[in-house]
Amino acid sequence: MEVVEEFELDLPFESGFSRGGIWFGFEVIWKWLLRAFKMNLYIGREASKLWKRFCAEISTEISLLIENWKYLLGGLIFQYIHGVAAHGVHYIHRPGPILQDVGFFLLPELGQDKAYLSETLFTFIFLSFVAWSFHPFILKSKKVYTVLLWCRVLAFLVACQILRILTFYSTQLPGPNYHCREGSRLATLPPPDNAYEVLLMNFRGVLYGCGDLIFSSHMIFTLVFVRSYQKYGTQRFIKHLAWLFAVIQSLLIIASRKHYTVDVVVAWYTVNLVVFFVDKKLPELPDRTNGAALLPLSTKERDTKSRDESHKLLNGNSVDPTDRRQRTQVNGKIPEEGNAVHVNTTP
């Protein structure tokens, strides 16, 4: 008992020499080295498994990217088209008195010095979703594939942005933002000299646009990201927090006077309805947590699958899970489609 107490103090050298037996010290050192060697073997084995899984996931994502690159490219191109449309409506924007708005009466104006709050929260939501969608493939908590997820997200965004372009080109409201009000030199743009001025938009034109009000583009991205995580995310707390951020984002947009309240309200029911109906039309994403069929099988898994199929064939069961016909095994022969099998019962 006294030896065990000294070993638990993690002082192998003092324990050995205080006993007066040098062999005891060597024994303790040997146990420590053996434990460290086993730990290194375990770490190396687990690291090898993680590396193999990572390589398998990367190869799967690349295969999906090769198959679906047209959809991703089309969605990204339409983001540019949406930006050009928002930039083009700025040329026909005419500043005027700010319209009467319930949200402006209820929420105090943040002012130009605090207008960055809504953009900061939106940037946090955007980057958080991107980081979650590209988080390491080796984590089993990830339910879907990154390529397929972004194909779905871009489909939602494109559908919502088409409706948005039709809406803000139908009626131009006087912008409530500070740079869109009467007296601001950025409220109106001179007629473009050529088409390149409209097509080649700059970063300043994106930040200081006017006229693209109904409905809010910030809320399109926010609600699409929140609904996507609501369906494919795994953390319940983050799901509730995401909806809370969406509500706060709505209030900040109105308080910073970047949109009228109607722009935010229309975005809430339009985006949710669009995502609901588009999601019904799209095929369901494969769940990678249940041993996704898209991942390549290892040698052990292939051997196990072949052994199971052979076992099913020997028992007279079909390998195809959709084939549920009843079969009766008689003398090693299985009748098919009602064909009779004559059995010799003579002893």
Side-chain angles (χ1 to χ4, degrees):
M1 179 63 68
E2 189 175 357
V3 174
V4 175
E5 291 178 355
E6 291 184 359
F7 178 74
E8 290 179 350
L9 291 176
D10 293 336
L11 299 174
F13 293 99
E14 292 185 7
S15 301
F17 291 107
S18 63
R19 285 294 177 187
I22 192 172
W23 294 108
F24 178 78
F26 285 142
E27 182 181 359
V28 174
I29 294 175
W30 172 254
K31 289 181 179 179
W32 274 77
L33 292 176
L34 185 61
R35 182 184 302 176
F37 178 72
K38 291 181 178 180
M39 182 61 68
N40 289 333
L41 288 179
Y42 175 77
I43 294 175
R45 185 168 60 250
E46 292 300 320
S48 178
K49 291 181 180 179
L50 291 178
W51 175 250
K52 290 180 180 178
R53 180 176 178 82
F54 181 80
C55 293
E57 293 283 355
I58 288 292
S59 62
T60 303
E61 293 287 350
I62 293 176
S63 301
L64 292 174
L65 181 60
I66 294 174
E67 295 176 0
N68 301 278
W69 68 271
K70 295 180 180 179
Y71 304 107
L72 294 175
L73 182 61
L76 294 177
I77 291 176
F78 194 85
Q79 299 309 304
Y80 168 75
I81 296 175
H82 174 259
V84 171
H87 181 58
V89 77
H90 195 172
Y91 289 98
I92 58 177
H93 172 259
R94 293 297 177 264
I98 298 178
L99 303 179
Q100 186 175 353
D101 192 280
V102 176
F104 293 176
F105 285 110
L106 298 178
L107 296 176
E109 189 172 350
L110 291 178
Q112 290 184 339
D113 55 337
K114 295 182 180 179
Y116 67 91
L117 292 177
S118 62
E119 293 296 333
T120 302
L121 181 58
F122 175 76
T123 303
F124 174 76
I125 295 173
F126 187 91
L127 295 180
S128 298
F129 182 82
V130 172
W132 167 75
S133 64
F134 284 94
H135 76 279
F137 303 128
I138 56 177
L139 297 182
K140 296 182 179 180
S141 60
K142 188 174 180 181
K143 297 173 60 177
V144 293
Y145 294 92
T146 300
V147 172
L148 300 181
L149 175 65
W150 275 102
C151 287
R152 209 175 193 86
V153 169
L154 288 173
F156 298 152
L157 293 176
V158 169
C160 294
Q161 289 166 345
I162 290 175
L163 297 178
R164 181 173 188 262
I165 293 173
L166 295 175
T167 305
F168 66 65
Y169 266 104
S170 300
T171 303
Q172 290 82 42
L173 302 180
N177 209 336
Y178 302 103
H179 63 271
C180 299
R181 299 176 183 178
E182 291 179 316
S184 175
R185 60 183 182 86
L186 297 176
T188 58
L189 293 179
D193 296 331
N194 49 57
Y196 291 105
E197 292 187 14
V198 181
L199 298 177
L200 300 178
M201 50 183 186
N202 51 30
F203 185 73
R204 183 181 180 86
V206 174
L207 290 180
Y208 296 98
C210 297
D212 56 328
L213 293 176
I214 302 177
F215 42 96
S216 173
S217 179
H218 286 65
M219 292 308 302
I220 291 178
F221 281 90
T222 299
L223 292 174
V224 167
F225 291 164
V226 170
R227 283 192 62 100
S228 298
Y229 187 84
Q230 177 71 28
K231 183 174 183 179
Y232 302 112
T234 56
Q235 302 296 326
R236 180 178 299 179
F237 171 75
I238 298 181
K239 293 180 181 180
H240 296 323
L241 190 63
W243 284 111
L244 177 62
F245 283 164
V247 174
I248 296 175
Q249 176 72 31
S250 304
L251 299 177
L252 288 176
I253 289 176
I254 299 173
S256 60
R257 303 301 189 256
K258 295 182 178 179
H259 280 277
Y260 292 106
T261 306
V262 65
D263 306 337
V264 176
V265 172
V266 171
W268 267 92
Y269 63 75
T270 302
V271 175
N272 282 286
L273 288 175
V274 168
V275 171
F276 175 78
F277 285 108
V278 173
D279 187 66
K280 292 288 185 181
K281 297 296 183 180
L282 296 177
E284 190 58 45
L285 297 184
D287 190 350
R288 66 192 293 277
T289 58
N290 298 328
L294 294 176
L295 285 177
L297 298 177
S298 62
T299 305
K300 183 178 180 180
E301 291 172 341
R302 286 197 297 267
D303 295 342
T304 305
K305 185 176 180 181
S306 302
R307 198 161 48 245
D308 293 341
E309 292 177 355
S310 301
H311 183 70
K312 290 180 181 179
L313 289 174
L314 289 176
N315 290 334
N317 297 327
S318 174
V319 179
D320 186 5
T322 60
D323 191 357
R324 302 181 181 276
R325 293 175 295 174
Q326 296 293 332
R327 290 172 172 81
T328 305
Q329 185 174 359
V330 181
N331 287 354
K333 298 182 178 180
I334 303 173
E336 290 284 351
E337 301 294 340
N339 296 330
V341 177
H342 299 284
V343 182
N344 185 12
T345 57
T346 305

